[in-house]
Each structure stands twice: as C-alpha cells, then as structure tokens.
Amino acid sequence: MGSRASLLLRQEEIEEIQRETGFSHNQITRLYSRFTSLDKGQNGALSREDLLRIPELAINPLGERVVQLFFLEGEDEQVNFRQYMRTLARFRPVDPNQKNNKDGVNSRDKKLEFAFRMYDLDQDNRISRDELLQVLRMMVGVNISEEQLGSIADRTILEADTDGDQRISFEEFSKAMERSEVEQKMSVRFLD
C-alpha cells in the first residue's frame, strides 16, 4: 500500500531542492504534483514515455531531444524528482539581481550548455555539420529542401567555426550566441 503518499516530499528535501534549483517552496510542491501525475508507474520516477506525455513536449519538434537531455545526467532509463527539478531549473528566468552569476543552474552559461547539448547529438563536445542537419530536420520537417538545409548548415558552420575544424565547439557556440537573448528565449515562467 505504498502508493503516492509514501512518495511525499519531506521539508528537508524541499529546502535542499530550493538551494539547488532556486525554485520556491510553492513551485516545488506544484511541480511535485505534476511529477506524480506524470508518473504512470507510480514508482517515484519518470520514463521517457512519461515525459513525452507532457503536451508542450509532445507537440514540440524538438520534444524528443529535450526529453533525451533529462537522461544525460544519469544513464538510467528513469528520472527521479531531483533530476527532473535540476533540468527544469535551467528554464527558470534569470533573476535580474544575479545576471552575472555564472554558477547558477539557470545562468546564461548553463542555458547555453543545455542549448549546445541539443545539437551535440553524439556528445563529443562538438557540433558537426551532420548533427546540425539532423536537428534542423527535426525543427523544420519537410518544409525546407535538403539543399536549403545544407546551405543553412554550411553557413552556420562557416560563421561560428573560428578554428577551422568544420565543427562548432561550446566556446564557438557561446561566441556565436553572444547577441542572442538566451536568458529570455530559454526561460519558462513557473507559477508560484
């Protein structure tokens, strides 16, 4: 009879998650409620299939890729509540008082790392032309010809690749994204 009631969060866990993620007590309890509603196996963990039931991910062309990034932290096929919260925390808006904080889980650098990992499919810390093409295909489907996609990928690599290795490193990616408002574009407002 150890159903969802045994999975309730203790106050000390909430406080630890607050410190790790910056979420408020109310946000954590709301997100825990969402987590437990997604947990169809009622085992305190989410599978890839559970996460893909989130409507916003299900309709997003990069939804499957976003879900994959929940699992990079561990090699398990399940994500516990802590891991779920750490990943969601990357999407918290940046506090204007902490804009220069490079260590925060939702800092510009962490958001850029997450975006970079979206493209780095083979996790070799470089984005190749093929990886760029695969992600572009996910994003646009059949709406653009292969020739146009190739042209976009080539131009992107030409502009971002400063060391001439025909791949984009994280440093090159970050430099290319300097003028982009990553803090806003990769933020989701979580209700309090």
Side-chain angles (χ1 to χ4, degrees):
M1 303 265 220
S3 68
R4 292 180 194 268
S6 66
L7 301 175
L8 292 176
L9 292 174
R10 296 184 323 269
Q11 184 60 34
E12 65 193 42
E13 289 175 300
I14 292 173
E15 290 169 4
E16 287 172 14
I17 293 169
Q18 279 181 296
R19 279 190 299 277
E20 285 178 23
T21 66
F23 282 115
S24 71
H25 184 281
N26 285 345
Q27 289 170 323
I28 293 168
T29 55
R30 277 180 187 262
L31 289 167
Y32 185 72
S33 176
R34 179 74 187 264
F35 178 88
T36 57
S37 72
L38 291 169
D39 179 13
K40 296 302 179 198
Q42 296 186 359
N43 61 356
L46 300 179
S47 67
R48 293 174 197 277
E49 293 75 27
D50 291 333
L51 288 167
L52 283 170
R53 282 192 203 99
I54 298 171
E56 296 82 359
L57 287 175
I59 63 169
N60 185 323
L62 294 176
E64 284 193 37
R65 186 69 191 129
V66 170
V67 167
Q68 286 176 346
L69 294 177
F70 273 86
F71 294 89
L72 287 183
E73 190 174 298
E75 295 302 316
D76 293 336
E77 290 299 310
Q78 301 278 308
V79 172
N80 66 31
F81 183 64
R82 281 292 245 298
Q83 293 165 317
Y84 174 78
M85 292 301 291
R86 278 190 219 112
T87 302
L88 289 181
R90 297 207 193 308
F91 296 100
R92 276 188 42 250
V94 175
D95 182 340
N97 300 326
Q98 296 183 330
K99 214 159 177 92
N100 295 325
N101 179 7
K102 294 188 182 280
D103 297 326
V105 70
N106 66 327
S107 69
R108 177 181 176 79
D109 286 348
K110 296 295 185 189
K111 289 177 186 290
L112 283 171
E113 285 174 19
F114 191 90
F116 180 82
R117 289 183 3 214
M118 291 285 294
Y119 290 93
D120 184 17
L121 302 176
D122 64 5
Q123 300 173 36
D124 69 349
N125 297 316
R126 301 258 185 221
I127 301 169
S128 69
R129 180 181 190 274
D130 287 340
E131 289 171 314
L132 195 52
L133 280 170
Q134 285 181 56
V135 174
L136 287 170
R137 280 187 202 106
M138 287 178 220
M139 291 169 37
V140 300
V142 295
N143 297 322
I144 294 180
S145 72
E146 280 298 312
E147 187 177 314
Q148 289 171 312
L149 285 175
S151 177
I152 293 168
D154 291 340
R155 192 176 79 238
T156 301
I157 289 178
L158 182 68
E159 290 176 11
D161 176 29
T162 57
D163 65 7
D165 69 351
Q166 299 301 304
R167 299 182 307 166
I168 302 169
S169 67
F170 178 69
E171 292 74 24
E172 292 167 331
F173 182 82
S174 296
K175 180 107 175 101
M177 299 294 286
E178 265 179 350
R179 291 188 288 275
S180 179
E181 294 185 16
V182 173
E183 296 90 342
Q184 282 77 37
K185 292 181 180 177
M186 287 192 63
S187 292
V188 175
R189 187 172 161 264
F190 293 91
L191 296 177
D192 210 5

Short mmCIF file of all heavy atoms in Angstrom, two decimals, residues 100-161:
data_model
loop_
_atom_site.label_atom_id
_atom_site.label_comp_id
_atom_site.label_asym_id
_atom_site.label_seq_id
_atom_site.Cartn_x
_atom_site.Cartn_y
_atom_site.Cartn_z
N ASN A 100 24.94 38.32 -13.55
CA ASN A 100 26.35 37.98 -13.76
C ASN A 100 26.78 36.71 -13.04
O ASN A 100 27.95 36.37 -13.06
CB ASN A 100 27.24 39.16 -13.34
CG ASN A 100 27.01 40.36 -14.22
OD1 ASN A 100 26.76 40.23 -15.41
ND2 ASN A 100 27.07 41.54 -13.63
N ASN A 101 25.84 36.02 -12.40
CA ASN A 101 26.14 34.78 -11.69
C ASN A 101 26.33 33.67 -12.73
O ASN A 101 25.38 33.23 -13.36
CB ASN A 101 25.01 34.44 -10.72
CG ASN A 101 25.26 33.14 -9.98
OD1 ASN A 101 26.33 32.53 -10.10
ND2 ASN A 101 24.28 32.71 -9.23
N LYS A 102 27.56 33.20 -12.90
CA LYS A 102 27.84 32.17 -13.88
C LYS A 102 27.65 30.76 -13.32
O LYS A 102 27.69 29.79 -14.05
CB LYS A 102 29.27 32.32 -14.41
CG LYS A 102 29.45 33.59 -15.21
CD LYS A 102 30.80 33.61 -15.86
CE LYS A 102 31.03 34.88 -16.63
NZ LYS A 102 30.41 34.90 -17.92
N ASP A 103 27.45 30.65 -12.00
CA ASP A 103 27.34 29.34 -11.37
C ASP A 103 25.91 28.86 -11.20
O ASP A 103 25.68 27.68 -10.99
CB ASP A 103 28.03 29.36 -9.99
CG ASP A 103 29.51 29.63 -10.12
OD1 ASP A 103 30.11 29.18 -11.10
OD2 ASP A 103 30.06 30.31 -9.24
N GLY A 104 24.95 29.77 -11.27
CA GLY A 104 23.56 29.39 -11.06
C GLY A 104 23.10 28.37 -12.08
O GLY A 104 23.51 28.41 -13.24
N VAL A 105 22.24 27.46 -11.64
CA VAL A 105 21.75 26.40 -12.52
C VAL A 105 20.98 26.96 -13.72
O VAL A 105 20.89 26.33 -14.75
CB VAL A 105 20.92 25.37 -11.71
CG1 VAL A 105 19.59 25.95 -11.28
CG2 VAL A 105 20.72 24.10 -12.47
N ASN A 106 20.48 28.19 -13.57
CA ASN A 106 19.74 28.81 -14.66
C ASN A 106 20.49 30.01 -15.25
O ASN A 106 19.90 30.86 -15.91
CB ASN A 106 18.35 29.25 -14.18
CG ASN A 106 18.42 30.37 -13.16
OD1 ASN A 106 19.36 30.44 -12.38
ND2 ASN A 106 17.44 31.24 -13.17
N SER A 107 21.80 30.05 -15.06
CA SER A 107 22.61 31.15 -15.60
C SER A 107 22.65 31.09 -17.12
O SER A 107 22.31 30.07 -17.73
CB SER A 107 24.03 31.06 -15.05
OG SER A 107 24.69 29.92 -15.59
N ARG A 108 23.08 32.17 -17.71
CA ARG A 108 23.23 32.21 -19.17
C ARG A 108 24.11 31.05 -19.64
O ARG A 108 23.79 30.37 -20.60
CB ARG A 108 23.82 33.55 -19.59
CG ARG A 108 24.08 33.65 -21.09
CD ARG A 108 24.68 34.99 -21.50
NE ARG A 108 24.99 35.01 -22.92
CZ ARG A 108 24.12 35.21 -23.88
NH1 ARG A 108 22.85 35.43 -23.60
NH2 ARG A 108 24.50 35.20 -25.15
N ASP A 109 25.24 30.83 -18.95
CA ASP A 109 26.15 29.76 -19.35
C ASP A 109 25.48 28.38 -19.30
O ASP A 109 25.67 27.56 -20.19
CB ASP A 109 27.41 29.75 -18.47
CG ASP A 109 28.35 30.90 -18.80
OD1 ASP A 109 28.17 31.56 -19.83
OD2 ASP A 109 29.28 31.13 -18.01
N LYS A 110 24.69 28.13 -18.25
CA LYS A 110 24.01 26.83 -18.14
C LYS A 110 22.94 26.68 -19.22
O LYS A 110 22.75 25.59 -19.76
CB LYS A 110 23.39 26.66 -16.75
CG LYS A 110 24.39 26.62 -15.63
CD LYS A 110 25.29 25.42 -15.72
CE LYS A 110 26.20 25.37 -14.50
NZ LYS A 110 27.23 24.38 -14.61
N LYS A 111 22.26 27.77 -19.54
CA LYS A 111 21.27 27.73 -20.61
C LYS A 111 21.95 27.45 -21.95
O LYS A 111 21.47 26.66 -22.76
CB LYS A 111 20.46 29.02 -20.66
CG LYS A 111 19.49 29.17 -19.49
CD LYS A 111 18.77 30.51 -19.54
CE LYS A 111 17.92 30.76 -18.33
NZ LYS A 111 16.75 29.94 -18.20
N LEU A 112 23.11 28.09 -22.16
CA LEU A 112 23.87 27.85 -23.39
C LEU A 112 24.35 26.41 -23.46
O LEU A 112 24.31 25.78 -24.52
CB LEU A 112 25.04 28.81 -23.49
CG LEU A 112 24.71 30.24 -23.93
CD1 LEU A 112 25.93 31.15 -23.78
CD2 LEU A 112 24.19 30.27 -25.35
N GLU A 113 24.82 25.87 -22.33
CA GLU A 113 25.25 24.47 -22.30
C GLU A 113 24.10 23.54 -22.70
O GLU A 113 24.29 22.59 -23.45
CB GLU A 113 25.75 24.08 -20.90
CG GLU A 113 27.11 24.61 -20.56
CD GLU A 113 27.49 24.33 -19.11
OE1 GLU A 113 26.89 23.42 -18.47
OE2 GLU A 113 28.39 25.02 -18.60
N PHE A 114 22.91 23.82 -22.17
CA PHE A 114 21.75 22.99 -22.49
C PHE A 114 21.44 23.09 -23.99
O PHE A 114 21.24 22.07 -24.66
CB PHE A 114 20.55 23.43 -21.66
CG PHE A 114 19.40 22.46 -21.73
CD1 PHE A 114 19.29 21.43 -20.83
CD2 PHE A 114 18.41 22.60 -22.69
CE1 PHE A 114 18.24 20.53 -20.89
CE2 PHE A 114 17.34 21.71 -22.77
CZ PHE A 114 17.26 20.67 -21.86
N ALA A 115 21.44 24.31 -24.52
CA ALA A 115 21.16 24.50 -25.95
C ALA A 115 22.22 23.80 -26.80
O ALA A 115 21.89 23.14 -27.80
CB ALA A 115 21.10 25.99 -26.28
N PHE A 116 23.47 23.92 -26.39
CA PHE A 116 24.56 23.26 -27.12
C PHE A 116 24.34 21.75 -27.16
O PHE A 116 24.48 21.11 -28.20
CB PHE A 116 25.90 23.60 -26.47
CG PHE A 116 27.09 22.98 -27.16
CD1 PHE A 116 27.63 23.56 -28.29
CD2 PHE A 116 27.67 21.82 -26.66
CE1 PHE A 116 28.73 22.99 -28.93
CE2 PHE A 116 28.75 21.24 -27.28
CZ PHE A 116 29.29 21.82 -28.42
N ARG A 117 23.97 21.19 -26.02
CA ARG A 117 23.74 19.74 -25.95
C ARG A 117 22.57 19.30 -26.83
O ARG A 117 22.52 18.14 -27.24
CB ARG A 117 23.53 19.31 -24.49
CG ARG A 117 24.83 19.39 -23.71
CD ARG A 117 24.77 18.92 -22.28
NE ARG A 117 23.55 18.38 -21.80
CZ ARG A 117 23.09 18.51 -20.57
NH1 ARG A 117 23.79 19.20 -19.69
NH2 ARG A 117 21.96 17.97 -20.20
N MET A 118 21.65 20.21 -27.10
CA MET A 118 20.54 19.88 -28.02
C MET A 118 21.09 19.51 -29.40
O MET A 118 20.55 18.64 -30.07
CB MET A 118 19.59 21.07 -28.18
CG MET A 118 18.79 21.41 -26.97
SD MET A 118 17.44 20.28 -26.65
CE MET A 118 16.40 20.60 -28.04
N TYR A 119 22.16 20.17 -29.80
CA TYR A 119 22.76 19.95 -31.12
C TYR A 119 23.86 18.89 -31.11
O TYR A 119 24.11 18.25 -32.13
CB TYR A 119 23.36 21.27 -31.65
CG TYR A 119 22.34 22.30 -32.02
CD1 TYR A 119 21.92 23.26 -31.10
CD2 TYR A 119 21.77 22.33 -33.29
CE1 TYR A 119 20.98 24.22 -31.43
CE2 TYR A 119 20.83 23.29 -33.63
CZ TYR A 119 20.44 24.23 -32.70
OH TYR A 119 19.50 25.17 -33.03
N ASP A 120 24.53 18.73 -29.99
CA ASP A 120 25.65 17.80 -29.89
C ASP A 120 25.11 16.38 -29.67
O ASP A 120 25.20 15.83 -28.56
CB ASP A 120 26.59 18.22 -28.75
CG ASP A 120 27.83 17.36 -28.65
OD1 ASP A 120 28.16 16.64 -29.62
OD2 ASP A 120 28.47 17.39 -27.58
N LEU A 121 24.59 15.79 -30.71
CA LEU A 121 23.90 14.51 -30.60
C LEU A 121 24.79 13.36 -30.15
O LEU A 121 24.34 12.47 -29.44
CB LEU A 121 23.24 14.16 -31.95
CG LEU A 121 22.23 15.19 -32.48
CD1 LEU A 121 21.73 14.79 -33.86
CD2 LEU A 121 21.08 15.38 -31.51
N ASP A 122 26.06 13.38 -30.56
CA ASP A 122 26.94 12.27 -30.18
C ASP A 122 27.75 12.57 -28.92
O ASP A 122 28.61 11.79 -28.53
CB ASP A 122 27.87 11.87 -31.33
CG ASP A 122 28.83 12.98 -31.74
OD1 ASP A 122 28.88 14.05 -31.06
OD2 ASP A 122 29.54 12.79 -32.75
N GLN A 123 27.48 13.70 -28.29
CA GLN A 123 28.09 14.10 -27.02
C GLN A 123 29.62 14.12 -27.05
O GLN A 123 30.29 13.77 -26.08
CB GLN A 123 27.60 13.18 -25.89
CG GLN A 123 26.10 13.21 -25.71
CD GLN A 123 25.63 12.19 -24.71
OE1 GLN A 123 26.30 11.92 -23.72
NE2 GLN A 123 24.47 11.61 -24.95
N ASP A 124 30.18 14.60 -28.18
CA ASP A 124 31.64 14.69 -28.27
C ASP A 124 32.13 16.12 -28.05
O ASP A 124 33.30 16.43 -28.32
CB ASP A 124 32.14 14.15 -29.61
CG ASP A 124 31.75 15.03 -30.79
OD1 ASP A 124 30.91 15.96 -30.63
OD2 ASP A 124 32.28 14.78 -31.90
N ASN A 125 31.26 16.99 -27.57
CA ASN A 125 31.57 18.39 -27.28
C ASN A 125 31.87 19.20 -28.53
O ASN A 125 32.55 20.23 -28.47
CB ASN A 125 32.71 18.52 -26.26
CG ASN A 125 32.30 17.92 -24.93
OD1 ASN A 125 31.18 18.14 -24.46
ND2 ASN A 125 33.19 17.14 -24.34
N ARG A 126 31.36 18.76 -29.65
CA ARG A 126 31.48 19.48 -30.93
C ARG A 126 30.18 19.25 -31.71
O ARG A 126 29.61 18.17 -31.65
CB ARG A 126 32.63 18.93 -31.78
CG ARG A 126 33.97 19.03 -31.11
CD ARG A 126 34.71 20.18 -31.69
NE ARG A 126 36.05 20.24 -31.16
CZ ARG A 126 36.62 21.37 -30.83
NH1 ARG A 126 36.00 22.51 -30.98
NH2 ARG A 126 37.84 21.37 -30.37
N ILE A 127 29.77 20.26 -32.45
CA ILE A 127 28.59 20.11 -33.31
C ILE A 127 29.10 20.00 -34.74
O ILE A 127 29.73 20.92 -35.27
CB ILE A 127 27.64 21.32 -33.18
CG1 ILE A 127 27.15 21.47 -31.74
CG2 ILE A 127 26.46 21.16 -34.15
CD1 ILE A 127 26.42 22.78 -31.47
N SER A 128 28.84 18.86 -35.35
CA SER A 128 29.26 18.64 -36.74
C SER A 128 28.15 19.10 -37.69
O SER A 128 27.02 19.37 -37.28
CB SER A 128 29.54 17.15 -36.96
OG SER A 128 28.32 16.42 -36.91
N ARG A 129 28.49 19.15 -38.95
CA ARG A 129 27.50 19.51 -39.98
C ARG A 129 26.34 18.51 -39.96
O ARG A 129 25.18 18.90 -40.04
CB ARG A 129 28.17 19.53 -41.35
CG ARG A 129 27.22 19.91 -42.49
CD ARG A 129 27.95 19.88 -43.84
NE ARG A 129 27.14 20.45 -44.90
CZ ARG A 129 26.25 19.77 -45.60
NH1 ARG A 129 26.04 18.48 -45.34
NH2 ARG A 129 25.54 20.37 -46.55
N ASP A 130 26.66 17.22 -39.83
CA ASP A 130 25.61 16.20 -39.82
C ASP A 130 24.67 16.37 -38.62
O ASP A 130 23.45 16.21 -38.75
CB ASP A 130 26.21 14.79 -39.81
CG ASP A 130 26.80 14.39 -41.15
OD1 ASP A 130 26.43 15.01 -42.18
OD2 ASP A 130 27.63 13.47 -41.18
N GLU A 131 25.24 16.67 -37.46
CA GLU A 131 24.40 16.89 -36.27
C GLU A 131 23.51 18.11 -36.48
O GLU A 131 22.32 18.08 -36.16
CB GLU A 131 25.27 17.09 -35.03
CG GLU A 131 25.94 15.82 -34.57
CD GLU A 131 26.96 16.04 -33.49
OE1 GLU A 131 27.79 16.97 -33.61
OE2 GLU A 131 26.94 15.26 -32.51
N LEU A 132 24.08 19.16 -37.02
CA LEU A 132 23.32 20.37 -37.29
C LEU A 132 22.18 20.07 -38.26
O LEU A 132 21.03 20.49 -38.04
CB LEU A 132 24.26 21.44 -37.86
CG LEU A 132 23.78 22.87 -37.90
CD1 LEU A 132 23.26 23.34 -36.56
CD2 LEU A 132 24.92 23.78 -38.36
N LEU A 133 22.46 19.30 -39.29
CA LEU A 133 21.42 18.91 -40.26
C LEU A 133 20.31 18.09 -39.60
O LEU A 133 19.13 18.31 -39.87
CB LEU A 133 22.04 18.12 -41.42
CG LEU A 133 22.72 18.93 -42.50
CD1 LEU A 133 23.49 18.02 -43.45
CD2 LEU A 133 21.72 19.77 -43.26
N GLN A 134 20.69 17.15 -38.74
CA GLN A 134 19.68 16.32 -38.07
C GLN A 134 18.73 17.17 -37.22
O GLN A 134 17.52 16.97 -37.25
CB GLN A 134 20.35 15.27 -37.20
CG GLN A 134 20.97 14.13 -37.97
CD GLN A 134 21.59 13.11 -37.04
OE1 GLN A 134 20.92 12.58 -36.16
NE2 GLN A 134 22.87 12.84 -37.23
N VAL A 135 19.30 18.12 -36.47
CA VAL A 135 18.47 18.97 -35.62
C VAL A 135 17.61 19.90 -36.48
O VAL A 135 16.42 20.10 -36.20
CB VAL A 135 19.32 19.75 -34.59
CG1 VAL A 135 18.46 20.72 -33.80
CG2 VAL A 135 20.01 18.77 -33.64
N LEU A 136 18.18 20.44 -37.54
CA LEU A 136 17.40 21.29 -38.44
C LEU A 136 16.22 20.50 -39.03
O LEU A 136 15.11 21.02 -39.13
CB LEU A 136 18.28 21.85 -39.56
CG LEU A 136 19.26 22.95 -39.15
CD1 LEU A 136 20.24 23.26 -40.28
CD2 LEU A 136 18.52 24.21 -38.73
N ARG A 137 16.47 19.25 -39.41
CA ARG A 137 15.38 18.41 -39.94
C ARG A 137 14.28 18.22 -38.90
O ARG A 137 13.09 18.23 -39.21
CB ARG A 137 15.91 17.05 -40.37
CG ARG A 137 16.57 17.06 -41.71
CD ARG A 137 16.95 15.65 -42.17
NE ARG A 137 17.98 15.72 -43.15
CZ ARG A 137 19.27 15.40 -42.94
NH1 ARG A 137 19.66 14.92 -41.77
NH2 ARG A 137 20.16 15.52 -43.90
N MET A 138 14.68 18.02 -37.63
CA MET A 138 13.69 17.87 -36.55
C MET A 138 12.85 19.14 -36.45
O MET A 138 11.65 19.08 -36.23
CB MET A 138 14.39 17.64 -35.21
CG MET A 138 15.00 16.30 -35.01
SD MET A 138 15.81 16.27 -33.37
CE MET A 138 17.29 15.37 -33.74
N MET A 139 13.51 20.28 -36.61
CA MET A 139 12.82 21.56 -36.41
C MET A 139 11.89 21.92 -37.57
O MET A 139 10.81 22.44 -37.34
CB MET A 139 13.86 22.68 -36.21
CG MET A 139 14.59 22.56 -34.89
SD MET A 139 16.03 23.61 -34.66
CE MET A 139 15.67 25.11 -35.42
N VAL A 140 12.30 21.65 -38.80
CA VAL A 140 11.51 22.12 -39.95
C VAL A 140 10.80 21.02 -40.71
O VAL A 140 9.98 21.30 -41.58
CB VAL A 140 12.39 22.96 -40.92
CG1 VAL A 140 12.96 24.16 -40.23
CG2 VAL A 140 13.48 22.11 -41.55
N GLY A 141 11.11 19.78 -40.40
CA GLY A 141 10.45 18.68 -41.08
C GLY A 141 10.73 18.72 -42.57
O GLY A 141 11.86 18.91 -43.00
N VAL A 142 9.68 18.61 -43.36
CA VAL A 142 9.82 18.58 -44.83
C VAL A 142 9.53 19.95 -45.45
O VAL A 142 9.36 20.05 -46.66
CB VAL A 142 8.90 17.51 -45.45
CG1 VAL A 142 9.32 16.11 -45.02
CG2 VAL A 142 7.45 17.78 -45.11
N ASN A 143 9.49 20.97 -44.63
CA ASN A 143 9.14 22.30 -45.14
C ASN A 143 10.27 22.99 -45.89
O ASN A 143 10.04 24.01 -46.54
CB ASN A 143 8.69 23.21 -43.98
CG ASN A 143 7.42 22.68 -43.33
OD1 ASN A 143 6.54 22.18 -44.01
ND2 ASN A 143 7.36 22.77 -42.02
N ILE A 144 11.48 22.47 -45.80
CA ILE A 144 12.64 23.04 -46.48
C ILE A 144 13.37 21.91 -47.19
O ILE A 144 13.51 20.81 -46.65
CB ILE A 144 13.58 23.76 -45.48
CG1 ILE A 144 12.87 24.98 -44.87
CG2 ILE A 144 14.86 24.20 -46.14
CD1 ILE A 144 13.71 25.75 -43.87
N SER A 145 13.86 22.19 -48.39
CA SER A 145 14.56 21.15 -49.16
C SER A 145 15.90 20.80 -48.51
O SER A 145 16.46 21.58 -47.74
CB SER A 145 14.80 21.64 -50.59
OG SER A 145 15.81 22.65 -50.60
N GLU A 146 16.41 19.62 -48.85
CA GLU A 146 17.71 19.18 -48.35
C GLU A 146 18.80 20.17 -48.75
O GLU A 146 19.72 20.44 -47.98
CB GLU A 146 18.06 17.78 -48.87
CG GLU A 146 17.39 16.66 -48.12
CD GLU A 146 17.80 16.58 -46.66
OE1 GLU A 146 19.01 16.64 -46.33
OE2 GLU A 146 16.90 16.46 -45.82
N GLU A 147 18.68 20.71 -49.95
CA GLU A 147 19.67 21.69 -50.43
C GLU A 147 19.66 22.95 -49.56
O GLU A 147 20.71 23.45 -49.18
CB GLU A 147 19.37 22.05 -51.89
CG GLU A 147 20.42 22.92 -52.52
CD GLU A 147 20.11 23.20 -53.98
OE1 GLU A 147 19.76 22.24 -54.71
OE2 GLU A 147 20.21 24.38 -54.38
N GLN A 148 18.48 23.41 -49.22
CA GLN A 148 18.37 24.60 -48.36
C GLN A 148 18.91 24.30 -46.96
O GLN A 148 19.60 25.13 -46.37
CB GLN A 148 16.92 25.07 -48.27
CG GLN A 148 16.40 25.68 -49.56
CD GLN A 148 14.89 25.92 -49.50
OE1 GLN A 148 14.12 25.04 -49.11
NE2 GLN A 148 14.48 27.13 -49.90
N LEU A 149 18.58 23.13 -46.44
CA LEU A 149 19.09 22.75 -45.12
C LEU A 149 20.61 22.69 -45.13
O LEU A 149 21.27 23.16 -44.20
CB LEU A 149 18.52 21.40 -44.69
CG LEU A 149 17.08 21.37 -44.21
CD1 LEU A 149 16.62 19.95 -43.94
CD2 LEU A 149 16.89 22.23 -42.98
N GLY A 150 21.17 22.10 -46.17
CA GLY A 150 22.62 22.02 -46.30
C GLY A 150 23.25 23.40 -46.35
O GLY A 150 24.29 23.66 -45.74
N SER A 151 22.60 24.30 -47.05
CA SER A 151 23.10 25.67 -47.15
C SER A 151 23.08 26.36 -45.79
O SER A 151 24.03 27.06 -45.41
CB SER A 151 22.25 26.44 -48.16
OG SER A 151 22.66 27.78 -48.24
N ILE A 152 22.00 26.16 -45.03
CA ILE A 152 21.90 26.73 -43.68
C ILE A 152 22.99 26.17 -42.78
O ILE A 152 23.67 26.90 -42.06
CB ILE A 152 20.50 26.48 -43.08
CG1 ILE A 152 19.43 27.27 -43.85
CG2 ILE A 152 20.47 26.83 -41.58
CD1 ILE A 152 18.01 26.86 -43.52
N ALA A 153 23.19 24.85 -42.83
CA ALA A 153 24.21 24.21 -42.00
C ALA A 153 25.61 24.71 -42.38
O ALA A 153 26.41 25.04 -41.49
CB ALA A 153 24.13 22.69 -42.15
N ASP A 154 25.88 24.79 -43.68
CA ASP A 154 27.20 25.25 -44.12
C ASP A 154 27.46 26.68 -43.67
O ASP A 154 28.55 27.01 -43.20
CB ASP A 154 27.32 25.15 -45.65
CG ASP A 154 27.37 23.71 -46.13
OD1 ASP A 154 27.70 22.81 -45.32
OD2 ASP A 154 27.07 23.48 -47.32
N ARG A 155 26.46 27.54 -43.84
CA ARG A 155 26.62 28.95 -43.46
C ARG A 155 26.81 29.08 -41.94
O ARG A 155 27.64 29.85 -41.47
CB ARG A 155 25.42 29.78 -43.93
CG ARG A 155 25.69 31.29 -43.82
CD ARG A 155 24.58 32.13 -44.37
NE ARG A 155 23.50 32.19 -43.40
CZ ARG A 155 22.25 31.82 -43.60
NH1 ARG A 155 21.87 31.36 -44.78
NH2 ARG A 155 21.35 31.91 -42.66
N THR A 156 26.06 28.29 -41.18
CA THR A 156 26.19 28.33 -39.72
C THR A 156 27.59 27.93 -39.29
O THR A 156 28.21 28.60 -38.46
CB THR A 156 25.14 27.40 -39.07
OG1 THR A 156 23.83 27.82 -39.48
CG2 THR A 156 25.24 27.42 -37.56
N ILE A 157 28.11 26.86 -39.86
CA ILE A 157 29.45 26.41 -39.50
C ILE A 157 30.49 27.43 -39.96
O ILE A 157 31.41 27.77 -39.20
CB ILE A 157 29.73 25.00 -40.06
CG1 ILE A 157 28.89 24.00 -39.26
CG2 ILE A 157 31.22 24.66 -39.99
CD1 ILE A 157 28.99 22.57 -39.67
N LEU A 158 30.33 27.97 -41.15
CA LEU A 158 31.26 28.98 -41.64
C LEU A 158 31.33 30.18 -40.70
O LEU A 158 32.41 30.68 -40.39
CB LEU A 158 30.84 29.43 -43.06
CG LEU A 158 31.74 30.45 -43.72
CD1 LEU A 158 33.09 29.82 -44.06
CD2 LEU A 158 31.08 30.99 -44.98
N GLU A 159 30.18 30.62 -40.21
CA GLU A 159 30.13 31.79 -39.34
C GLU A 159 30.61 31.50 -37.91
O GLU A 159 31.23 32.36 -37.29
CB GLU A 159 28.71 32.37 -39.30
CG GLU A 159 28.30 33.01 -40.60
CD GLU A 159 26.85 33.49 -40.60
OE1 GLU A 159 26.22 33.51 -39.52
OE2 GLU A 159 26.36 33.83 -41.69
N ALA A 160 30.33 30.32 -37.41
CA ALA A 160 30.64 30.03 -36.00
C ALA A 160 32.00 29.37 -35.80
O ALA A 160 32.62 29.55 -34.74
CB ALA A 160 29.55 29.14 -35.40
N ASP A 161 32.47 28.62 -36.77
CA ASP A 161 33.71 27.84 -36.63
C ASP A 161 34.93 28.75 -36.78
O ASP A 161 35.35 29.04 -37.88
CB ASP A 161 33.74 26.73 -37.67
CG ASP A 161 35.03 25.93 -37.66
OD1 ASP A 161 35.65 25.83 -36.57
OD2 ASP A 161 35.41 25.42 -38.72
#
